[in-house]
């Protein structure tokens, strides 16, 4: 049994982390691309996106989605995605004595996906990170699957421990 793939994928990514001084930092990733040639492709060759269907989250926050189903909206023609998170580095919560003891820092993020299999998908997340120095909890609102709003919580553990 012999198969031979024949496709060409062109992609472009722009990213940066911008320091905003006392107001924290903003990180973003913009990525897009398309298949120039799709003569012989298999599902494994599609552009897959890092989704999540569990309560546990990856630490790759600027390249992943919190509530997007795995593989259901993989692209076989074109895609555009954007991820941005603003880390306030305690700017807000350090003024609240009991929360300051948690060493938690606030994060707000937005994530978008458009491709030939999904008209639109949006996520907005509100997170507390560095809880006790190692944990992150996100509350996520998602819109785009069946034109319904979904929400959920995810938990992440700092992988540098």
């Amino acid at each position: 049994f012999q198969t031979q793939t024949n496709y060409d994928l062109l992609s472009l990514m722009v990213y940066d982390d911008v320091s905003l001084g006392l107001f924290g930092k903003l990180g973003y990733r913009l990525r897009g691309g398309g298949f120039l040639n799709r003569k012989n492709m298999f599902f494994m060759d599609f552009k897959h996106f890092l989704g999540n269907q569990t309560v546990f989250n990856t630490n790759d926050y600027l390249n992943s989605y919190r509530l997007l189903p795995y593989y259901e909206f993989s692209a076989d023609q074109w895609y555009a995605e954007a991820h941005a998170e603003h880390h306030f580095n305690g700017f807000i919560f350090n003024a609240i004595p009991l929360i300051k003891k948690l060493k938690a820092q606030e994060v707000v993020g937005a994530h978008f996906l458009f491709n030939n299999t999904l008209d639109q998908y949006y996520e907005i997340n509100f997170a507390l990170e560095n809880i006790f120095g190692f944990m992150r909890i996100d509350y996520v609102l998602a819109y785009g699957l069946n034109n319904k709003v979904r929400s959920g919580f995810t938990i992440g553990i700092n992988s540098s421990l």
Side-chain angles (χ1 to χ4, degrees):
F1 181 67
Q2 183 178 356
T3 60
Q4 186 169 355
T5 59
N6 185 352
Y7 68 91
D8 296 301
L9 171 65
L10 176 66
S11 63
L12 174 69
M13 180 171 69
V14 176
Y15 62 92
D16 199 2
D17 292 309
V18 180
S19 175
L20 301 173
L22 291 175
F23 299 106
K25 70 175 185 170
L26 173 69
Y28 66 88
R29 306 282 182 274
L30 307 172
R31 187 179 299 121
F35 290 89
L36 304 176
N37 159 25
R38 302 181 310 130
K39 289 182 182 170
N40 196 19
M41 289 177 55
F42 300 93
F43 184 70
M44 68 185 88
D45 303 320
F46 292 10
K47 172 60 180 164
H48 303 289
F49 306 98
L50 189 53
N52 187 21
Q53 291 178 275
T54 70
V55 70
F56 299 105
N57 203 353
T58 174
N59 287 336
D60 198 0
Y61 296 109
L62 284 177
N63 289 306
S64 64
Y65 299 92
R66 313 301 179 272
L67 301 178
L68 184 71
Y70 306 120
Y71 306 115
E72 189 173 340
F73 300 103
S74 298
D76 64 349
Q77 293 178 21
W78 61 270
Y79 69 94
E81 62 179 311
H83 304 272
E85 286 197 342
H86 183 84
H87 297 255
F88 289 92
N89 295 339
F91 179 76
I92 298 169
F93 287 150
N94 280 349
I96 304 169
L98 292 176
I99 294 179
K100 183 177 182 176
K101 289 185 180 198
L102 294 175
K103 299 181 182 177
Q105 298 177 359
E106 51 284 303
V107 179
V108 175
H111 310 269
F112 307 101
L113 175 62
F114 307 95
N115 66 37
N116 61 284
T117 63
L118 182 64
D119 288 336
Q120 58 185 348
Y121 181 75
Y122 307 97
E123 286 184 353
I124 298 173
N125 63 294
F126 305 93
L128 289 179
E129 68 179 0
N130 295 329
I131 300 170
F132 303 116
F134 70 92
M135 188 184 326
R136 175 172 164 156
I137 298 175
D138 284 76
Y139 175 69
V140 185
L141 291 169
Y143 175 79
L145 305 180
N146 301 320
N147 292 324
K148 294 183 180 177
V149 175
R150 296 173 48 225
S151 64
F153 286 93
T154 60
I155 299 169
I157 303 297
N158 185 350
S159 62
S160 64
L161 293 177

